[in-house]
Amino acid sequence: MFDLVLRGGRVIDPESGHDGLADVAVKDGRIAGLGTVTEAGLVEVDASGLVVAPGFVDLHAHGQCLPADRMQAFDGVTTALELELGVWPVARWYDEQAHAGRVLNYGASTGWVFARIAAMTSQQTESSIAGMGRAMQDKRWSDEVASAAESADIVARVKAGLDQGGLGIGFPNAYAPGAGVKEISDLCSLAASFGVPTFTHIAYMSNVDPMSSIDAYTRLIGLAGSTGAHMHICHFNSTSLQDVERAAELVRTAQAQGLKVSVEAYPYGTGSTVVGAVFFSDPAFPERTGGGYETIESLASGRRFGDRSEVLAAQAEDPGSLVLWHFLDVAANDRHRNLLDVSVLFPGGAIASDAVPWLLADGATYSGDAWPLPDDAISHPRSSGTFTRFLREWVRERETLSLMEGLRKCCLIPAQLMEASTPAMARKGRLRVGCDADIVCFDWDTLTDRADFRHPNRPSEGVRHLFVGGETVIVDGGLVREARPGRPVRRPVAS
Amino acid sequence: MTIPVVLVAGFLGAGKTTLVNEMLRRPDGRRIAAVVNDFGAIDIDADLLRQSSDGVVSLRNGCICCSLQGDLMRTLATLIRRQPPPDAIVIETSGASDPAEIVRSLLDPVVYAATPLETAVTVIDARHLADRPALFDDPLWRSQVASADICVLAKTDLVDEAGLAALRAVLARFKAQHLIVDAGDHLSPTRRFFSENEPRVRAPSKGSMPQAADERFETQSWSSERPVVLAAFQSAVARLAPFLLRAKGVVTFTHEPGRPMLFQLVGSRATIVPAQTGPMDRGGARLVLIAERGRLDWEDAARLLDASVDIEPIRSAPSRRVDRH
């Protein structure tokens, strides 16, 4: 007898390409049968009318505690990894999670920035965004190049984290923009020698040199080439701004040469800013407006313009005439929708949430048991709705991808990015006999995110059942409050 | 339901707190929530003060005042959950902060949808600037001015006329002149920096605005039954912007006819977000333009906007309507 059988759902597995009605049987936390299952299960779930898919794997989840897990469960997530910031010391963090009890599978990279805080400023801080903030009391770790001795100390600490099973190295460079390239390059060589990926929040976010996003990506790609490390780019959408097409071209070219560079994105637009001059100087301007440059008339002088260069010259003379356009919704402008699409739909790219912790009004992280989450618990809506928003808008409404391909970006691609160095990930992100029974069942017609800035604690809708390691977390759209089936995802620990 | 935000930047001692105090004193019927650096500097008439609890000072006129708690987004999120919620939020930045970063976080679409940035104001201390012209080269000062939709020139009474004229001439290199206003003029900052949304509560306002101040500005509305072409609309706005203080309205674009967008221009910053659709939105465009009296030729303005209207299907008489107040 099986522990659990899901009957008659539309089973979609991006690895095998299977998309059809089937039963899924679970035994001892693993998938034990697929197809027509005749044997009964201790628990039988009618999945007819629902999509049955591998649970989503989030590479970028900062919440890492009970309430964050629960909100993400309703977003279809079964494995939530803290890879961009990472944690340090690694072993202690895994012990703490096991002790606290988790709903989702959890794991973390070695937190370079926390090793740096310890090595350069002797501060002990908690491995979190808030902990990083508190360590700003002595901000040399953020602003300064490490001395040779400090650098060696940082590398040793990071290596200890990898020895303790850390899933890679987190490089939140934006928080420590003062770090030198030599230090990072040593750490990338360390990652390469361990065969683990690195996860970078690039140091610069600007479309203008010096210190542009393109500068940072070019450095990152250089590190992939010069050290052989796998360089993963975090939230490609938010750090590329208007240069995302160029950035994507650079990443594609690097990939085509065999460099290990990968990307993730979340499906929330950032405010896109366009300076007036950019618009007028666009060579396609006459086609777009249906009129040539002669239709532009300077209000002040009544002068008409003959061509593009005259417009640009006039604008340079009077910068006051430039209007900054902020398109705060990608639908406002096809161009901006296309820019967000470049990162969200990047071939081989993962969807990852950058979910942030739930904070109370006094700034404390909420880690309590209340369900639904208290109304005064605050987070970014992406902490609740990243995956369902992506599937609803990009897959169901806009049909930019098939459901199979959309799901691939939510489960299989992130698992594949990790599995070379973390064997446990080869059993996640797919529905195959022998794989972990991390399974989401959702109603495809109604699946949607519901969170916004005013109501970030609104869980997504449409996830009817969710299982982590074969244990039920969501049943009939309701939370199983006592469920704590999350298990560590960790590299084999050196003995 | 959105709660507009005014951001007040400027160096330490420039006059930010004075401006915030003035808004709290004359809230123009709005329940303003002010986020300030230093409670001690808030100088409210004693008869306005009501109570202070959990770090929030309540005023009798419905306004409240609190200090920044940790990160700004959390403070905002906490404010909009208050019962009753504020009608407007004023944020005083620290003198050492670069408002560009704060503007960027306020323009996160998720944040903007609930608490739209209405106006970024930078207060400039005329006396200080006259004494220390090196400030013009200070990167922080420059960023504060560049990030502002409108600059307020404070303490002009402490500089003689010639000095002030010289100062204005240099300032004009950094900010269009019509976007620099005097702190001393009579228009209440609440009115100047928040556009005419309907306040939800009409509190009896003690010091009502002198009408004369309004006569400095004129308002024109423009509407079209048909959607507009985005690129042509941008071009029209770019050409009108130097003559406008602000513009606001609901616009439907030809490429997304089913989706009315809220357009807002203040200074030289334009934002476009999805509009909360109402019964009035039938696929055309309605704009209100505000300019200093006599500054803009309204016929020109209307002609420019008319040119952005999609006329493909119907090549008949223009459908627009112009009303001037």
Side-chain angles (χ1 to χ4, degrees), chain B residues 210-222:
Chain B
Q211 273 311 105
D214 281 346
E215 282 164 19
R216 282 185 46 207
F217 302 99
E218 49 185 345
T219 301
Q220 186 194 31
S221 64
W222 173 87

Side-chain angles (χ1 to χ4, degrees), chain A residues 166-197:
Chain A
L167 303 179
I169 304 176
F171 285 134
N173 274 301
Y175 302 99
V181 176
K182 286 180 69 174
E183 174 189 336
I184 306 281
S185 114
D186 284 346
L187 290 160
C188 288
S189 290
L190 178 72
S193 72
F194 272 77
V196 297

Side-chain angles (χ1 to χ4, degrees), chain A residues 26 46 62 139 258 299 320 339 347 436 453 481:
Chain A
V26 172
D46 177 11
H62 296 304
K139 57 206 278 277
L299 261 188
L339 290 180
D436 295 337
F453 185 61
R481 291 191 55 154

Side-chain angles (χ1 to χ4, degrees), chain B residues 181-300:
Chain B
V181 300
D182 267 6
D185 74 14
H186 296 294
L187 189 61
S188 112
T190 306
R191 283 218 173 170
R192 187 191 291 282
F193 302 130
F194 287 106
S195 65
E196 274 308 312
N197 285 343
E198 278 308 306
R200 277 179 293 280
V201 176
R202 276 277 172 207
S205 71
K206 235 165 50 171
S208 73
M209 286 316 308
Q211 273 311 105
D214 281 346
E215 282 164 19
R216 282 185 46 207
F217 302 99
E218 49 185 345
T219 301
Q220 186 194 31
S221 64
W222 173 87
S223 65
S224 155
E225 299 279 313
R226 303 202 47 78
V228 302
V229 180
L230 173 63
F233 179 70
Q234 282 183 284
S235 136
V237 169
R239 290 148 72 194
L240 289 170
F243 303 89
L244 295 175
L245 285 178
R246 55 171 80 239
K248 189 169 186 173
V250 175
V251 182
T252 316
F253 296 111
T254 46
H255 67 275
E256 200 91 30
R259 204 148 178 219
M261 308 299 285
L262 180 68
F263 160 77
Q264 205 162 176
L265 174 83
V266 49
S268 54
R269 180 172 58 87
T271 39
I272 292 189
V273 294
Q276 322 226 324
T277 43
M280 289 288 287
D281 307 316
R282 288 190 304 267
R286 294 177 289 120
L287 288 186
V288 173
L289 313 175
I290 301 172
E292 254 176 281
R293 200 163 283 282
R295 193 170 161 82
L296 182 63
D297 181 323
W298 294 108
E299 278 309 311
D300 272 0

